[in-house]
Amino acid sequence: MSEFHALVPAAGFGARMGIEVPKQYLDLAGQPMIWHAISTLCACPDIKTVYVVLAPDDEYFSQYDWSHCEGKLAPLYCGGATRAESVANGLLAAELEPDDWVLVHDAARPCLTQHLLSRMISELRDDPVGGILAVPVADTLKRADAQQRIACTEPREGLWQAQTPQMFRAGLLAGALAHCKTVTDEASAIEAMGLQPKLVASDSSNFKVTYPHDIVLAELLLKHKNN
Ligand code: C5P
């Protein structure tokens, strides 16, 4: 039987935050940001191991108390220059069976819930390709010209915003990433193979903390989180 594992790429710096500490270690509701997603993934009964891909010289991760994740958490100090490289390196180091499912999740999406995780696993566990959590675009979309004036309004019908986790078979994903080193998510590498990942409906609470003001919103959501 195929197993389910999570892989959290956490070897980035978070340049858009404009801070010294890597984004994933910023304090969020009394814990480092990365603690929240890892704790949710470790508490999911379907998930056997949570691999965390860290920068080779990471000095932060081992300073925190991870005792509540014991038996499931596996830090791997093999992060690369890009997110895709970190995920590819992590897959290699984890030595998963090709048929095992791997759920790749951003360290910077702390508000993931058990409800979304179990929806994703039950919708995709028998899928031939795999898929991603995503939300239909809600805002009207404008294309800008070089002067930052509106060149045109883009139809938003059929457009979704990709989130994580992104769930694929380990063998398929490793093969796809070996050919695509510049993609910004795993699904793009699978699409480049001519396959069509499924979109599993999520909600906007699973957003990526990117800019300083996102911290306030994430803390509010975490305070009211009850899965
Ligand atoms: O920078 P961004 O928010 O898009 O990064 C998404 C995720 O990929 C983060 O969890 C970040 O730590 C991770 N990442 C990585 N290795 C890199 C760059 C980003 O693991 N070289």
Side-chain angles (χ1 to χ4, degrees):
M1 257 258 294
S2 313
E3 292 174 338
F4 295 86
H5 303 277
L7 191 146
V8 180
F13 297 101
R16 287 166 291 188
M17 275 283 175
I19 36 133
E20 287 287 306
V21 180
K23 175 172 73 173
Q24 57 273 28
Y25 295 113
L26 276 185
D27 184 274
L28 198 63
Q31 295 288 354
M33 188 185 308
I34 192 173
W35 184 93
H36 299 282
I38 288 178
S39 301
T40 302
L41 291 163
C42 284
C44 174
D46 287 313
I47 293 178
K48 187 160 182 221
T49 325
V50 177
Y51 297 97
V52 186
V53 183
L54 302 163
D57 59 352
D58 183 292
E59 288 170 355
Y60 298 89
F61 189 83
S62 62
Q63 290 178 23
Y64 298 103
D65 179 11
W66 297 106
S67 51
H68 63 297
C69 297
E70 215 161 298
K72 280 203 179 184
L73 191 59
L76 303 168
Y77 290 82
C78 61
T82 62
R83 178 210 159 92
E85 223 176 280
S86 294
V87 174
N89 292 354
L91 285 173
L92 210 66
E95 295 185 338
L96 303 177
E97 291 298 320
D99 274 352
D100 282 349
W101 286 106
V102 58
L103 285 83
V104 180
H105 185 65
D106 287 328
R109 291 186 191 269
C111 302
L112 177 69
T113 60
Q114 293 299 335
H115 175 70
L116 286 175
L117 260 182
S118 61
R119 178 189 293 171
M120 158 165 243
I121 290 173
S122 69
E123 279 199 32
L124 296 177
R125 65 189 314 149
D126 296 319
D127 195 274
V129 178
I132 71 170
L133 286 185
V135 282
V137 169
D139 297 322
T140 302
L141 295 175
K142 306 293 186 190
R143 184 169 296 280
D145 67 11
Q147 284 72 47
Q148 207 177 303
R149 291 196 164 271
I150 296 172
C152 65
T153 300
E154 298 283 357
R156 69 176 174 214
E157 214 160 307
L159 290 183
W160 292 58
Q161 283 179 285
Q163 296 182 343
T164 69
Q166 304 210 347
M167 175 172 153
F168 297 102
R169 302 267 184 192
L172 177 71
L173 183 56
L177 288 171
H179 295 106
C180 283
K181 299 266 189 245
T182 55
V183 289
T184 52
D185 74 346
E186 290 61 53
S188 303
I190 303 287
E191 293 159 47
M193 298 182 84
L195 297 170
Q196 290 191 287
K198 183 151 190 218
L199 293 163
V200 177
S202 179
D203 63 65
S204 55
S205 67
N206 184 31
F207 73 101
K208 184 162 75 170
V209 176
T210 307
Y211 302 105
H213 65 262
D214 292 337
I215 299 267
V216 183
L217 183 57
E219 283 189 324
L220 269 175
L221 286 167
L222 287 169
K223 241 181 236 164
H224 293 99
K225 181 176 163 186
N226 54 358
N227 291 316

